[in-house]
Amino acid sequence: EDIEKWDNQIKVFIEGAKANGLSEKEAYNISNDLLKLSSYSFNKSHAVAYTYAAVQTLYLSRYFRKYFYASTLAYEATKKDAIKSAYENCRNFGYNILPPDINKSFKNFRPVEGNNIIFGLNEIKGIGEKPINAIISNRPYKSIIDLIYIHY
């Protein structure tokens, strides 16, 4: 049934292409290219996989919104200039992005009380994984002197 529909569509395409100045051979070659493309680009496994990913994304963004935006911010922070639009998107949905806090921030963006998402230490240039782990494991800090004294 699908083959018959495709063959009918090709006949319509070739007639339309000829009416628009293409030769029958050119139109046939284009239709063959479309057939090859459809065998890869539009197959059901790809459609199902992308649909499944889209449904998961929609579900998470609806029912776990604060966590969804925190993970989106962490992901977008890895791309040049992408964090700005993710930041604005969060703010448009009523979430505040709090600045990093030595006693509250973790490695990545993280939801905290209310509609707040706190900046992750990993997003601060010049801080590596080892210092981040040390900062987190030696909390709380009373002052910057406390931080310096404990680590140096």
Side-chain angles (χ1 to χ4, degrees):
E1 182 180 337
D2 288 340
I3 302 282
E4 284 180 24
K5 287 180 182 178
W6 177 259
D7 288 339
N8 288 336
Q9 196 60 43
I10 293 302
K11 288 176 187 172
V12 170
F13 173 79
I14 290 174
E15 291 304 314
K18 287 186 345 189
N20 284 299
L22 289 176
S23 71
E24 186 167 346
K25 183 177 180 183
E26 289 171 321
Y28 184 75
N29 287 340
I30 291 171
S31 69
N32 278 340
D33 287 343
L34 289 172
L35 180 60
K36 289 174 191 171
L37 179 67
S38 71
S39 70
Y40 175 75
S41 296
F42 302 105
N43 68 38
K44 289 180 184 178
S45 67
H46 277 101
V48 169
Y50 285 114
T51 302
Y52 185 71
V55 168
Q56 284 182 321
T57 301
L58 286 169
Y59 180 84
L60 293 171
S61 68
R62 171 68 174 98
Y63 295 105
F64 299 94
R65 189 166 283 162
K66 195 167 30 168
Y67 295 92
F68 175 80
Y69 283 121
S71 64
T72 300
L73 286 165
Y75 173 74
E76 295 296 343
T78 65
K79 298 194 274 179
K80 190 175 184 174
D81 299 328
I83 188 73
K84 186 177 179 181
S85 65
Y87 184 86
E88 289 173 9
N89 198 21
C90 288
R91 292 193 59 181
N92 289 339
F93 278 96
Y95 293 97
N96 302 311
I97 311 301
L98 302 177
D101 183 309
I102 200 78
N103 285 315
K104 294 180 182 176
S105 291
F106 285 88
K107 183 177 178 183
N108 295 310
F109 287 91
R110 180 172 264 186
V112 290
E113 64 279 340
N115 280 346
N116 298 313
I117 298 172
I118 195 163
F119 211 85
L121 297 174
N122 198 44
E123 279 44 88
I124 301 171
K125 290 189 180 205
I127 300 181
E129 190 168 335
K130 199 171 183 181
I132 289 171
N133 292 336
I135 289 168
I136 292 169
S137 65
N138 290 305
R139 289 180 179 161
Y141 301 98
K142 296 176 188 137
S143 67
I144 190 73
I145 303 298
D146 192 20
L147 171 68
I148 294 169
Y149 178 71
I150 288 174
H151 295 288
Y152 298 102

